[in-house]
Amino acid sequence: GGFGPPQPQPPQPRVAPDGWTEHQTPDGKVYYYNTFTKATTYDKPRSLMTEVELKLPTTVWKEYVRDGKSYFYNAVTRESVWEEPMEFTRYKERLRALCAGDVPTKDLASLSLFNAARSALEECTVGKRGAGAAGADEDKREVKTNKIKRARDAEYATLSGVLRPPPELRKRPRQGPATDAEVRAFKEMLSERRVPPGATWTEAMTYGVANDARFEALPDDASRRHALAAYSDWARDRSRAEVEAELQKLAREGKVDGDSRLRDVLALLSHVPAVQAMEASDSRFVDDCVNDFLDELYRQAKEARRARKREEEDAIESYVKAMLEKGTIDLSARWGSDHQAAAAAAKGADFKFTSLDSRDLEAVFDDTLADEKKRREDAERADAKALEDACQDHLLAFAKWFETDLKASKSAPPSSFKSWTKEEPHMTRLAAEPWYGEVLQAIPDQAKSDDYKRKVVLRFLDRVGNKVLDDLLDKVDTCRKLLRQQIKDKEMTVKTEVEGADEAVRSGPLVATLGEWAAAADEAVKNEVNDGFEPAVQELAFARIVADTTKRIDKRMEAFEDMLTDILSKPHHVGMLWDVAKSKIAKEPEFEALPFAKLRIQVFDKYMQKLASRMAKKSLEKKDGAQPETGDKPVPASADAPQGAVPSSANASVEEGEVA
C-alpha cells in the first residue's frame, strides 16, 4: 500500500537567457520556442548556438529546384528570384574557404569548425534534396573537391583527445626568436596553402598549416601568430596590388570608369585569383578595393572635366580681352556663333568646345565683359580720386559753368549729370572750357586712350555735376508747382508740340510762353514767383510743365488706340466712318480722357489704315497660303472729317488741370 519507485522525469530543455528553448515535433523536426514572447521558429536562435556555429557564416537565402530549374528564396523578405543572389554566392565561397586545405590535425576546435563548414556547405542547397532533384550528386561531388577525400583516419592520430601532427613533422622546441628565414618560409607556406589575408588563427588552422614542417620550424605559437599577422598585411598589400593592376587594365580597355557599378566590376574581376581568395575570406576587402579605385577614377574624371572646362573658359576670356584691346568689340557686345568660332580658332586649329554648351559659353562671355567693365571702372575711379586732390579749383570753376549752361538751355533739365553728358553738343561746350584741358593733363597715366581720359574726367566731375543739377531741380520743381497751381486756378490751356492738339479745352486763356502765363496770372502769385526765383529758373519750370503735358497727351493717345483695337478689330470694321465709330466708343473712358476732337480723328484714321493693312494680309495668306507683299493702299480719311481737320503741323494745346 506504499508508494512505488519514482518515475523517471523527462529531461527539461535548456532555457537561454533570452527565453529560447529547443523542442521537437511529433515527426522529429526540431523547432524553437520563446517562453517570453511565445514566438516559434525553425531557425536556431544565436543564444542557443555553439561556439563553432557562431563562427560559421549565415545567410537568409536557400536554393530550391522546380521542374529541373533552380531558384532562390529569401526566408526573411519572402522574395524568390531565378538568378543566384550575390549574398548566397559569397556565403558558399566562405564555407568553401573553411573547408579548403587538408583536414586540420592541430586541435579539436579547428576540426569541429571544419566539419561544421562542410556540413553547412552540403546543406546550403537543401531545397535540392526533394524527389527528382538532379543536383544532389553534383553537390556531393563539389564538396569532395576540397581535398576531403584525401583525409583518412590513419593520417592523423588522437592522443588524449587532442589532434597532433604526424611524428615525422614534430620537432623539439628550441629557445630564441625565429629567424627571418624561418618567418619568410612560414609566410610562403601560408601563401602556398592560399590562406586568405585577414584570417584568424583558428581559420588558418583549417588550411592544414599544422601539417607542414615550416609550421613546426617556428619556436612557439606566439612567433607563429606574429608571423600570421605579418603575412596578413603582406598578403593584403599584394592582393590589393593585383586587384588594382587588373582594374587599371580594365580602365585602359574602357570597361570600367568612375560611373561603373560595384556589382558589374566584381563580375569582371571574378576570374582573378586574388579576388577569388579574398572573396572567400573577406569580401568587404575586395569591395573596399574596388570602391576606392572607382572613387579615384571618378575624382580623376571630375578633375579632367574641371580642367577642360577651365581651359575653354580661359579661351573665351583670352579672346574677349584680345578683341577689346583691338577695339573689335566693346563692352556692350553680345554673344554669337561667330564669336565661338573665332575663339576656337584663336586657341588652335584643332581646338573645339566640348565641355561648355552655347549657353555656358555665352555666360562666360558676358561675365568676362562684366569683369573687364568693373576693372576699367575701378581704374577710372582710382584716377578720378587722384584728380580730386590735385584739381579742387577746377571743380569750383566747373560748378559755376555747369549751372550757367543749364539755365541758358531753356529746356527741361536732365535727370542726372550722366544723361546730360550723352548729348554731343553738351560735351562739345564742356571740352571747349580751358580748365577741362588742364584736368586732362592732370590724369596720372597719360598713356591711356583719349576715350579713357574723357571717362575719368566725367567721373571726376560727376559728383559735383549731380549736386549742381539736384539743387537746380529742387528750385525748378518748387517754381513749377506755383506755376501749375495758377494754371489750374485760372483754367489756362498750355500749348504743346503734339500735332493736332491746337484747340483750347477750357474757357481760360491759351498760354504758350512764360510771358503769356505772367499776363494771365494773379499779381500776388506773379510777385511771389519773381521774388523767389530768377528768370532762368522760371523758364526751366515752364518748359518742364510743357514737357510733362506732352507726355500725358502721348500716353492718352496710345490708350485711345488700344481701346480702338479692342472694340473695332473685325473685318467688317474696315472703312467705318468716324460718326459710326464715335457712337460705339463715345462712352469709353479713353474717349473722354483725350479731350481734343482733332486728335481723336487723327488717331482713328491711323488705326483704320493699320486695320485695313492687317486684314488685307490675312486675306492673301488665306487665299494663296503665302506671305503677302507689303504696300497695301491706305484707307481714305473719314468722310465726315472737314478739310484741314488733320493739319500737317500745329501747336497742340491742352488744359493742364484737364490732362493731369
Side-chain angles (χ1 to χ4, degrees), residues 355-389:
S355 179
L356 301 178
D357 56 20
S358 57
R359 183 175 298 179
D360 295 332
L361 293 174
E362 182 179 0
V364 176
F365 183 87
D366 294 340
D367 291 343
T368 304
L369 289 179
D371 293 342
E372 183 64 18
K373 182 179 180 180
K374 183 178 182 302
R375 187 190 66 78
R376 293 186 180 186
E377 289 178 351
D378 292 342
E380 293 171 4
R381 192 176 293 107
D383 288 343
K385 181 66 176 177
L387 290 178
E388 291 183 3
D389 300 332

Side-chain angles (χ1 to χ4, degrees), residues 321-339:
K321 292 178 180 179
M323 293 299 101
L324 288 174
E325 186 175 354
K326 293 179 180 179
T328 307
I329 61 174
D330 56 19
L331 294 176
S332 61
R334 304 299 300 171
W335 174 256
S337 58
D338 54 335
H339 291 302

Side-chain angles (χ1 to χ4, degrees), residues 260-536:
S260 299
R261 297 187 306 172
L262 174 63
R263 186 184 185 91
D264 298 336
V265 178
L266 291 176
L268 295 174
L269 296 174
S270 59
H271 67 284
V272 180
V275 175
Q276 296 173 354
M278 291 304 302
E279 281 284 356
S281 61
D282 189 0
S283 61
R284 183 176 294 276
F285 174 79
V286 179
D287 294 350
D288 292 342
C289 290
V290 175
N291 282 326
D292 292 344
F293 184 80
L294 294 180
D295 290 343
E296 180 63 20
L297 284 184
Y298 180 81
R299 187 192 65 79
Q300 293 176 1
K302 185 177 180 180
E303 289 295 331
R305 291 193 298 268
R306 186 177 301 171
R308 178 63 184 180
K309 182 179 179 181
R310 182 65 257 177
E311 182 181 5
E312 295 181 5
E313 290 175 350
D314 292 341
I316 295 296
E317 293 175 0
S318 301
Y319 165 76
V320 171
K321 292 178 180 179
M323 293 299 101
L324 288 174
E325 186 175 354
K326 293 179 180 179
T328 307
I329 61 174
D330 56 19
L331 294 176
S332 61
R334 304 299 300 171
W335 174 256
S337 58
D338 54 335
H339 291 302
Q340 179 174 344
K347 189 69 175 178
D350 300 331
F351 186 84
K352 293 182 180 180
F353 290 99
T354 58
S355 179
L356 301 178
D357 56 20
S358 57
R359 183 175 298 179
D360 295 332
L361 293 174
E362 182 179 0
V364 176
F365 183 87
D366 294 340
D367 291 343
T368 304
L369 289 179
D371 293 342
E372 183 64 18
K373 182 179 180 180
K374 183 178 182 302
R375 187 190 66 78
R376 293 186 180 186
E377 289 178 351
D378 292 342
E380 293 171 4
R381 192 176 293 107
D383 288 343
K385 181 66 176 177
L387 290 178
E388 291 183 3
D389 300 332
C391 301
Q392 285 295 327
D393 295 340
H394 298 83
L395 281 178
L396 298 176
F398 163 71
K400 294 179 182 179
W401 174 87
F402 186 49
E403 183 177 6
T404 303
D405 186 82
L406 289 174
K407 293 177 180 178
S409 64
K410 295 184 179 181
S411 59
S415 58
S416 65
F417 177 70
K418 186 175 182 180
S419 61
W420 181 87
T421 59
K422 293 180 179 180
E423 298 291 337
E424 191 61 32
H426 298 167
M427 291 303 302
T428 302
R429 295 196 303 271
L430 178 63
E433 293 298 313
W435 51 264
Y436 182 84
E438 296 176 1
V439 174
L440 284 177
Q441 295 298 324
I443 295 177
D445 190 357
Q446 289 296 313
K448 296 289 186 179
S449 63
D450 294 339
D451 182 67
Y452 174 82
K453 294 179 181 179
R454 183 178 67 86
K455 291 181 179 180
V456 171
V457 173
L458 293 181
R459 186 178 293 275
F460 165 66
L461 301 176
D462 184 74
R463 181 177 59 82
V464 175
N466 281 324
K467 185 177 184 307
V468 172
L469 190 57
D470 290 342
D471 293 342
L472 181 61
L473 287 176
D474 289 342
K475 296 178 182 179
V476 170
D477 189 61
T478 304
C479 181
R480 182 179 65 88
K481 291 179 181 179
L482 292 175
L483 299 180
R484 183 175 176 180
Q485 185 62 40
Q486 190 65 14
I487 289 172
K488 184 176 181 180
D489 294 342
K490 292 295 184 179
E491 296 186 347
M492 301 179 190
T493 299
V494 178
K495 287 186 178 181
T496 66
E497 297 179 358
V498 179
E499 184 179 356
D502 57 351
E503 57 183 308
V505 178
R506 306 295 293 272
S507 59
L510 184 66
V511 294
T513 63
L514 181 63
E516 294 177 356
W517 175 89
D522 291 337
E523 191 68 23
V525 176
K526 182 170 59 176
N527 292 335
E528 182 180 359
V529 171
N530 291 333
D531 294 342
F533 308 96
E534 54 187 298

